[in-house]
Amino acid sequence: MKNSLWLVKLIAIAFVGFMMGYAVPPFLEVGFGDNVELLEEGEALPDDIMKQYEHLYQDDEDD
Amino acid sequence: MEIAIPQKNRIWVLVIVGFFALISIGTYAIHEYYIYLSAYLWFGFIYGMCLQYGRFCFASAFRDLFAVGVPRMVVGIMIATLLFSITSSLVASTGWSTFHAAPWSVHAIIAGLIFGIGMVFAGGCASGSLYKAGEGNGVSMLVILSISVTQSSFVDLGGWFNNLVPKSWAESALTKSMPSSIKVSDGWVDQYLAGYVWDQPVITFAKLLGLEDTSLVGAFVGNTFLGVFLPAICLLAIVYTLWSRQRFTLDFEASEGHKPGLADHVRGYWEMIVSSKRTAIAGLFLGIACGLQMFVIEGLRMKFGVKNAGTLLQRLGHDFGISAKGTVFDPGYWYVTTQEAQWVGWVAQKLGWNNMDNIYFGWVNGIPNPAINPADWMSVALIGGAAVMALSNGEFKWKAPTKELAFWALLGGAFMGIGSRLALGCNVGAFFVRTANGDVSGWSFGLGMVGGAYVGVKIFNWYTERQMAKEMANLDFDL
């Protein structure tokens, strides 16, 4: 049973390690401190998605 | 003596882990964005394993302390908080923390009080109920159900309950810019949030010293040393004086033949700390995992160019239940209660109850489908992680609740649901995470929670003694 628990731990560490692989490069690009704005902009939202929510920001009087 | 673990346990362990691995790999194959949800899943899984291993339950901790004078788990929780604060400060000083401090006022103490009473009634705190559900405990499953339903209903209370809203809250709430879809003047919690809580100051120990939370000195000196280390040392000293000192003195006198001096008591204090080894080890790994989760989630946000999972869900075409500002609940760290409210909120919405007109769901957290809700992935995986640990150690057992325990589970869960919504978090989100990150409101909630646990233990003892007296009176003795 101890072997399967080690296997479980290894699987969990492998997945977390894989995700760390995603997180570390942006961190290396930015470095320590509050330099997040130095990162390149991500993919912009398609216009049609934001249009679906436009009505939610309008006042009743405008409807 | 080693317990023989049945072969079927091994199979179930592999089935559970295989299921989560399959979900992660399968969704990743569909789209890379799903790795964001998998990050929640695997950290939740690790939390579950740690919680079950360390028996990390706030309700058990304070019940043991107040009812039978055993401080072991309270000490373990304090150590875990301390260890988590170190990893939190490490992440915060890189400028990559996902943590946001909460507004601070007396509401945190009151909410903690209600929550503390509830967790003693229920026999498990919010996180404790999750890991106990993973052990097959039916009472804990009822507690989770009760917390979920209570929260979801509580945040949408309107109508007559609007009469209980102070005028100043109602007026202040109306000044907040809300879209027309949010009916801010109809709902007790809406006006409590927008008219009261949001007006309160946000304070961290670093800021009290005039330092930034993201600076190395602010994070370690302000938030960890002043905000956690010093209070923890003092609290542990109080615990030692009130609950451990007497036993240590008796043992010392029996072995040494004289009264212990100050140096001996320091040794006794240290012995009390190291006696909570199992909870402390769990705390160490919880602390590392919590810090890593903040780092990974922030990294993924940077990678995908988003600030909230709502944007990712929209890009993936899952736009049902996204809040009016395009967000879903995505704390970026360990959290328990909001996702529980969300799944009931989602079900209720599907059944025709409009939950999207209140601030909690409609403006802040949304009610996405639980199948693609990041925080729900974390909670489900937490239960799975606890189940894996329990199965591996031969501690898994289905336990059906009795009628009496079911009553206490539902009542306690309701108290915890209300308390956690008033505090904007539970023993994890409002105490453990906030305290470790130097948020003053974390200690306020903790203070209320300890007071509530004390009241809860007293009420529970009174009830139990009354029941026993009744049963004894009904017994006929043939002498």
Side-chain angles (χ1 to χ4, degrees):
Chain A
M1 201 66 211
K2 278 184 180 169
N3 285 341
S4 20
L5 198 55
W6 274 110
L7 181 68
V8 168
K9 287 173 187 171
L10 213 65
I11 292 170
I13 290 168
F15 274 103
V16 170
F18 183 70
M19 285 152 204
M20 286 291 284
Y22 268 83
V24 171
F27 174 71
L28 292 177
E29 193 185 330
V30 173
F32 282 89
D34 238 351
N35 300 322
V36 165
E37 67 276 8
L38 294 179
L39 272 175
E40 284 178 27
E41 278 284 310
E43 191 185 330
L45 269 179
D47 283 347
D48 58 326
I49 285 180
M50 285 319 290
K51 274 179 188 162
Q52 292 173 31
Y53 297 96
E54 265 177 11
H55 70 283
L56 298 171
Y57 295 90
Q58 289 169 353
D59 290 335
D60 283 328
E61 292 162 11
D62 298 337
D63 292 338
Chain B
M1 195 180 74
E2 201 162 305
I3 304 165
I5 310 296
Q7 179 66 17
K8 66 173 184 180
N9 282 22
R10 183 198 289 264
I11 294 166
W12 272 111
V13 164
L14 295 176
V15 166
I16 293 168
V17 179
F19 172 74
F20 288 137
L22 203 66
I23 292 281
S24 286
I25 295 167
T27 51
Y28 184 72
I30 293 168
H31 202 290
E32 187 185 29
Y33 287 158
Y34 282 107
I35 196 171
Y36 195 90
L37 279 76
S38 286
Y40 273 98
L41 185 152
W42 286 103
F43 281 107
F45 186 81
I46 293 169
Y47 297 148
M49 290 181 78
C50 292
L51 289 176
Q52 203 283 333
Y53 174 79
R55 308 282 192 282
F56 202 85
C57 177
F58 284 60
S60 309
F62 291 112
R63 190 189 52 212
D64 289 356
L65 187 71
F66 294 137
V68 286
V70 176
R72 190 182 56 81
M73 210 177 290
V74 167
V75 174
I77 286 170
M78 268 344 301
I79 294 168
T81 311
L82 188 61
L83 294 168
F84 177 32
S85 78
I86 295 169
T87 54
S88 292
S89 288
L90 203 64
V91 177
S93 60
T94 64
W96 275 54
S97 176
T98 51
F99 177 75
H100 296 286
W104 176 77
S105 85
V106 72
H107 76 276
I109 302 175
I110 297 167
L113 191 84
I114 297 169
F115 187 90
I117 294 172
M119 71 179 186
V120 171
F121 283 179
C125 59
S127 55
S129 298
L130 280 180
Y131 95 71
K132 287 174 189 173
E135 290 177 336
N137 191 322
V139 175
S140 299
M141 292 173 197
L142 278 180
V143 174
I144 295 170
L145 182 71
S146 178
I147 295 178
S148 308
V149 173
T150 307
Q151 285 186 96
S152 178
S153 318
F154 183 59
V155 296
D156 207 41
L157 277 185
W160 179 84
F161 289 94
N162 291 325
N163 297 326
L164 302 176
V165 176
K167 199 180 166 196
S168 60
W169 295 7
E171 285 170 357
S172 176
L174 283 172
T175 64
K176 308 294 188 300
S177 301
M178 286 286 146
S180 57
S181 61
I182 306 296
K183 309 290 180 215
V184 73
S185 57
D186 180 22
W188 191 91
V189 173
D190 288 338
Q191 292 170 93
Y192 165 73
L193 289 174
Y196 176 72
V197 176
W198 293 355
D199 295 339
Q200 306 309 312
V202 173
I203 309 169
T204 61
F205 285 93
K207 283 187 179 150
L208 283 176
L209 295 178
L211 300 164
E212 285 297 318
D213 294 321
T214 50
S215 71
L216 203 64
V217 182
F220 279 99
V221 177
N223 290 339
T224 293
F225 183 73
L226 182 68
V228 183
F229 192 78
L230 285 183
I233 293 282
C234 295
L235 283 173
L236 288 173
I238 293 170
V239 169
Y240 175 74
T241 309
L242 294 179
W243 286 282
S244 282
R245 188 170 178 267
Q246 195 181 11
R247 186 172 295 168
F248 175 77
T249 305
L250 288 173
D251 290 348
F252 187 89
E253 282 176 355
S255 62
E256 302 292 326
H258 61 90
K259 288 194 172 184
L262 183 65
D264 301 313
H265 278 302
V266 172
R267 193 163 53 82
Y269 178 77
W270 180 248
E271 277 175 17
M272 178 189 78
I273 289 173
V274 294
S275 70
S276 314
K277 204 171 161 189
R278 199 170 163 127
T279 315
I281 290 172
L284 172 68
F285 285 102
L286 270 176
I288 293 170
C290 286
L292 269 181
Q293 186 184 10
M294 290 200 277
F295 182 82
V296 167
I297 294 290
E298 190 62 17
L300 289 170
R301 285 176 187 170
M302 289 301 125
K303 165 77 181 170
F304 298 137
V306 298
K307 288 181 176 168
N308 182 277
T311 315
L312 288 180
L313 294 184
Q314 284 170 358
R315 287 180 194 172
L316 289 165
H318 304 299
D319 50 15
F320 179 84
I322 308 281
S323 81
K325 56 179 173 178
T327 57
V328 294
F329 180 59
D330 177 19
Y333 49 83
W334 186 22
Y335 213 94
V336 177
T337 43
T338 289
Q339 57 267 43
E340 292 176 345
Q342 279 180 306
W343 75 262
V344 175
W346 178 81
V347 171
Q349 183 80 15
K350 289 285 180 187
L351 293 175
W353 181 334
N354 184 12
N355 269 319
M356 292 303 274
D357 63 351
N358 65 58
I359 289 177
Y360 181 69
F361 287 132
W363 179 243
V364 184
N365 299 304
I367 38 171
N369 186 328
I372 41 101
N373 183 345
D376 269 331
W377 280 39
M378 180 162 62
S379 290
V380 171
L382 193 155
I383 295 172
V388 161
M389 207 64 177
L391 286 162
S392 302
N393 294 319
E395 293 166 352
F396 184 92
K397 194 180 177 190
W398 288 110
K399 288 178 206 154
T402 61
K403 270 185 191 170
E404 192 178 20
L405 285 177
F407 166 76
W408 284 105
L410 295 173
L411 184 68
F415 269 82
M416 281 197 281
I418 293 168
S420 54
R421 284 303 26 99
L422 293 176
L424 321 184
C426 59
N427 58 297
V428 172
F431 175 74
F432 186 61
V433 176
R434 281 184 199 155
T435 305
N437 281 276
D439 184 347
V440 176
S441 78
W443 283 115
S444 306
F445 181 83
L447 187 71
M449 184 171 63
V450 173
Y454 183 78
V455 174
V457 166
K458 292 291 166 196
I459 295 173
F460 208 78
N461 283 351
W462 168 80
Y463 172 82
T464 313
E465 281 165 17
R466 191 167 156 265
Q467 287 298 101
M468 279 178 72
K470 264 188 191 173
E471 281 171 25
M472 292 299 282
N474 291 336
L475 283 176
D476 288 327
F477 291 105
D478 294 324
L479 296 173

